Amino acid sequence: MSLTPLLPGALNDRGQPMTLGVMGGGQLGRMFVQAAQAMGYVTVVLDADPASPAGLIAHHHIRTGYEDPQGLAELAQRCDAITTEFENVPAAALRTLAAQRPVAPSADCVAVAQDRIAEKAHFSQCAAISGVHPAPNATIETAGQLAAVADDLLPGILKTARLGYDGKGQIRVKTRAELAAAWEQLGRVACVLEKMLPLQSECSVLVARGADGQVAVFPVQKNTHHDGILAITEVHEGAVPADLAARAQASTVAIANHLGYVGVLCVEYFVVDNGQGGSDLVVNEMAPRPHNSGHYTQNACDVSQFEAQVRALAGLPLPTPRAHSPALMVNLLGDLWFQPNGVRAEASEQPVSPPWAQVLALPGTNLHLYGKLSARPGRKMGHLNITGATLAQVRDTAAQVLALLGLQGL
């Protein structure tokens, strides 16, 4: 990537305003577009869905698939730099764009995040620097590798090497027979078997890294999942023990540096029982983009993860983000529209808007809906950020919010 900054509001060498593009039209693309527009950039989204959340608000929406040659050519022609909003954009498409325009993150970085086998190998290499290892694991691509799995990896979790997210493409197994059956169920595709560890909690770290190697690290986020999907993120002093938080941040910086990464990167970790009355840290997976667990930054930090993504892509300075408030983020799934106040509606009934007026009457509540035109159970419809002067205030408000929405607590 060029180290020459793309200054907001300036004209490019074609006499046009500086323009930033994003591959993907979902909610992460939408929030990137909002951040870019707030700073003065023109925005372009490439996504085939005419009603995509990002496409609806971008200055230009190219309605083609990610591998469409004409669409990619138009995106490159319109933009001065291009990013992606999710990891399953074909790496080949990013390479095509990179031949004409700066692209961040690079196709090579995205390709690592797309494949658990490559991702685990990368984490193991970085562990020599950070001391934070992935869970013991084995690659299973052939019947021979299946038969050779070490006994001490069971019980474990069998995960597809590609296309798994939010708990999809994963099966827990206790015995060799269950492992063999799970591999068959997953279609005998390339998989990774990970040893199940005594999990205490989960956390994640966001970093933004520029082409000049400058790195900005966000506070560590403590995450609670329900049914494999992120439900709540807490960010405050003591959310994660200080020593583990520092190790997680250092590990994430090492992972980004080793990749030569440019953009926003999120790395997820397990906090596990070390068998000696304490805790240890295990690196789980990474996302080459802003992350659901980082949404709190929109209201609790002086630089959000999306502004950091804009800055990294445009080559602007990356100051260390300052969290000015303790915060809690609540993920809002489409189920809420079918169970207002926690009372589940009949499947045939029309969705009902949750009680936002009551929720927003509470101090420190900030609602972010994604502009999706229809609610479905399990669909990410938005998130709610709760901030306050003290952690006690945030937790009190959060308890009221969760009660109003009929959601599980912390």
Side-chain angles (χ1 to χ4, degrees):
M1 281 187 64
S2 170
L3 297 180
T4 303
L6 306 176
L7 298 178
L11 298 182
N12 58 26
D13 57 8
R14 304 182 302 282
Q16 301 296 319
M18 288 294 180
T19 301
L20 303 181
V22 57
M23 292 280 279
Q27 64 264 20
L28 297 178
R30 179 185 180 93
M31 289 180 275
F32 167 83
V33 164
Q34 289 169 333
Q37 290 177 348
M39 292 178 69
Y41 292 99
V42 173
T43 56
V44 182
V45 167
L46 187 148
D47 190 289
D49 181 0
S52 69
L56 290 173
I57 67 166
H59 292 92
H60 303 285
H61 181 187
I62 301 171
R63 298 177 178 85
T64 66
Y66 300 128
E67 297 178 286
D68 178 74
Q70 291 184 333
L72 294 175
E74 182 180 352
L75 185 65
Q77 186 275 325
R78 285 185 177 274
C79 296
D80 296 288
I82 300 162
T83 189
T84 178
E85 68 128 17
F86 78 123
E87 58 266 43
N88 289 323
V89 167
L94 297 178
R95 290 192 181 95
T96 297
L97 292 168
Q100 304 170 73
R101 293 285 184 254
V103 173
S106 70
D108 289 344
C109 291
V110 172
V112 171
Q114 288 176 342
D115 189 317
R116 290 188 193 276
I117 297 170
E119 185 181 63
K120 298 295 183 191
H122 176 67
F123 289 160
S124 294
Q125 292 169 0
C126 293
I129 302 170
S130 68
V132 180
H133 296 263
N137 63 86
T139 297
I140 299 176
E141 297 178 287
T142 66
Q145 289 174 322
L146 177 68
V149 165
D151 291 336
D152 63 1
L153 289 181
L154 294 170
I157 305 176
L158 186 67
K159 301 179 179 180
T160 56
R162 301 181 69 85
L163 300 179
Y165 64 97
D166 287 343
K168 298 178 176 65
Q170 302 183 14
I171 302 176
R172 297 190 175 204
V173 295
K174 296 179 180 178
T175 65
R176 287 188 173 277
E178 289 183 0
L179 173 60
W183 193 46
E184 289 288 342
Q185 182 179 335
L186 293 173
R188 297 170 66 92
V189 298
C191 288
V192 172
L193 175 67
E194 295 179 14
K195 180 180 178 66
M196 287 188 65
L197 300 173
L199 183 66
Q200 294 178 336
S201 62
E202 299 180 55
C203 64
S204 57
V205 178
L206 287 163
V207 299
R209 186 177 186 276
D212 60 357
Q214 184 183 12
V215 178
V217 186
F218 285 83
V220 178
Q221 302 139 189
K222 181 180 179 181
N223 303 321
T224 299
H225 292 78
H226 295 152
D227 299 323
I229 300 176
L230 181 67
I232 295 172
T233 292
E234 297 177 80
V235 183
H236 53 81
E237 187 175 352
V240 176
D243 60 327
L244 294 182
R247 289 182 63 202
Q249 289 177 315
S251 170
T252 305
V253 171
I255 288 167
N257 284 338
H258 194 267
L259 283 170
Y261 192 88
V262 178
V264 168
L265 177 73
C266 183
V267 181
E268 298 181 75
Y269 296 88
F270 296 139
V271 178
V272 300
D273 187 335
N274 66 5
Q276 301 174 353
S279 302
D280 202 357
L281 201 63
V282 172
V283 59
N284 177 33
E285 61 186 22
M286 66 182 183
R289 51 168 173 78
H291 194 262
N292 205 164
S293 64
H295 290 339
Y296 79 95
T297 61
Q298 292 172 300
N299 299 106
C301 296
D302 54 3
V303 175
S304 76
Q305 63 172 343
F306 300 102
E307 181 178 334
Q309 185 184 20
V310 173
R311 285 172 174 252
L313 179 63
L316 300 177
L318 287 169
T320 297
R322 179 179 64 88
H324 50 69
S325 303
L328 186 146
M329 186 280 298
V330 180
N331 211 14
L332 304 174
L333 302 182
D335 306 66
L336 286 174
W337 278 253
F338 295 92
Q339 50 186 49
N341 302 303
V343 179
R344 183 171 292 278
E346 296 296 327
S348 60
E349 292 187 14
Q350 293 297 311
V352 176
S353 183
W356 298 133
Q358 293 170 270
V359 168
L360 293 173
L362 299 171
T365 54
N366 301 272
L367 180 63
H368 300 263
L369 295 182
Y370 301 151
K372 295 181 179 179
L373 302 183
S374 62
R376 297 194 303 267
R379 191 182 197 192
K380 293 178 181 177
M381 298 297 295
H383 64 271
L384 187 80
N385 289 333
I386 302 167
T387 60
T390 67
L391 177 58
Q393 289 177 358
V394 170
R395 288 198 160 184
D396 179 66
T397 300
Q400 296 179 67
V401 166
L402 295 172
L404 284 169
L405 298 178
L407 295 175
Q408 296 181 51
L410 296 170

